[in-house]
Amino acid sequence: MPLLHYLDQGQGQPLVILHGLFGTLDNWQTLARRWATEAGLRVISVDLRNHGRSFHSPEHTYALMAQDVLALFDYLQLGAETTLMGHSMGGKVAMRFALDYPERLARLIVLDIAPRFSNMEHQDEILAGLQSVNLATITNRQEADAALAQHIHSVGVRQFLLKNLYRQEDNSFAWRINLPVLAAQLAAIGEETISATPFLKPALFIRGGKSDYITAEDKMTGIPALFPNSQVATVVDAGHWVHAEKPEEIFGMVKAFVGA
């Protein structure tokens, strides 16, 4: 199995960061740099399989993605003092890892996702937009943006997605994400996180106050059932992209929880 692409910066207690669906480690770079320089942490940002500069695979399950992260932990010789943090899909990878390999972690941080099944229908427009970009004919990023705009009205979401577009050596455009596989596996990406044994170490769930990815019911029953030593914190004026919308708050919450 190839190793995941990652960026390792800073020295100190390790913090491993996993991005969400259609994301890359670049989404976290400003905060990662701050945790490394201002909080004294060793920050390892990761591209998950079928994303960023990591390998493409026809399989995209949480069990396999957790194994990918385990292989990276082994390669980097990360000890049990490590904190694992993930957003959205990356949060589900982090939960799966914590439940499967609890001895490898000191604590868990999950941003705006719950263990329950997530309906992925809201991603249909994003997939339609990505699939509408004709990579064979576009000559610049503006043309790609215009195609996306037919399906996705949010400029911010389009800019986020266009981070995946790059020029190949022959000057043609390509996606860094493995779009066909992610489209085919979309239902699996929403699957419920289950485990016979809970993760007993500290866990922090951070939800956006304007997001419905973590509900009151999740907070009362779903999260504590698997993560009994957990707390749920709300960033009031943030949506699902809580770290992008409220970076200052996320910087402080993570720093405090890790004890940096």
Side-chain angles (χ1 to χ4, degrees):
M1 178 64 69
L3 199 65
L4 294 172
H5 176 252
Y6 67 95
L7 179 65
D8 190 347
Q9 54 191 327
Q11 294 177 322
Q13 199 181 141
L15 170 67
V16 178
I17 305 176
L18 309 178
H19 62 77
L21 181 62
F22 306 132
T24 75
L25 64 79
D26 292 341
N27 305 145
W28 282 93
Q29 273 325 93
T30 304
L31 275 168
R33 200 175 301 115
R34 287 191 64 193
W35 282 314
T37 56
E38 296 174 38
L41 298 173
R42 177 187 179 188
V43 184
I44 298 137
S45 317
V46 180
D47 280 338
L48 294 166
R49 65 165 59 199
N50 294 317
H51 289 76
R53 289 173 170 80
S54 283
F55 61 90
H56 285 190
S57 166
E59 297 179 292
H60 195 83
T61 68
Y62 286 114
L64 287 172
M65 287 190 277
Q67 288 172 23
D68 295 341
V69 175
L70 180 66
L72 186 62
F73 269 55
D74 289 343
Y75 177 78
L76 296 173
Q77 298 182 316
L78 296 176
E81 76 282 9
T82 304
T83 301
L84 181 60
M85 176 168 71
H87 170 249
S88 201
M89 180 189 75
K92 284 206 162 175
V93 178
M95 285 188 264
R96 184 75 271 150
F97 184 95
L99 292 162
D100 289 352
Y101 314 108
E103 72 285 354
R104 301 301 296 264
L105 295 181
R107 63 191 68 78
L108 171 72
I109 304 173
V110 175
L111 273 78
D112 213 56
I113 197 76
R116 67 174 158 83
F117 171 77
S118 307
N119 187 322
M120 301 301 288
E121 285 178 5
H122 59 282
Q123 300 288 351
D124 289 350
E125 280 298 294
I126 287 179
L127 277 178
L130 289 166
Q131 290 165 336
S132 74
V133 178
N134 189 334
L135 296 171
T137 60
I138 60 167
T139 58
N140 56 50
R141 302 181 82 81
Q142 289 73 26
E143 291 172 11
D145 184 57
L148 283 176
Q150 299 296 312
H151 298 269
I152 301 160
H153 302 305
S154 166
V155 175
V157 172
R158 296 202 306 271
Q159 288 175 338
F160 163 73
L161 294 170
L162 287 169
K163 288 181 185 291
N164 289 293
L165 193 66
Y166 76 106
R167 281 191 189 272
Q168 301 182 101
E169 285 184 10
D170 65 1
N171 224 28
S172 66
F173 281 100
W175 294 116
R176 291 205 184 277
I177 47 173
N178 187 347
L179 187 55
V181 165
L182 294 177
Q185 299 290 333
L186 199 59
I189 293 169
E191 76 176 20
E192 181 183 5
T193 303
I194 56 174
S195 176
T197 52
F199 177 73
L200 301 177
K201 293 175 182 177
L204 172 64
F205 285 72
I206 302 174
R207 62 181 289 273
K210 297 193 290 190
S211 168
D212 59 4
Y213 277 76
I214 294 179
T215 64
E217 189 177 341
D218 295 325
K219 193 173 169 180
M220 293 295 293
T221 58
I223 292 170
L226 288 176
F227 305 96
N229 190 11
S230 63
Q231 52 183 299
V232 179
T234 301
V235 180
V236 178
D237 286 327
H240 184 54
W241 299 98
V242 58
H243 53 293
E245 295 174 40
K246 298 288 181 180
E248 203 61 48
E249 285 87 338
I250 297 303
F251 173 79
M253 291 166 96
V254 170
K255 182 174 182 288
F257 184 67
V258 173

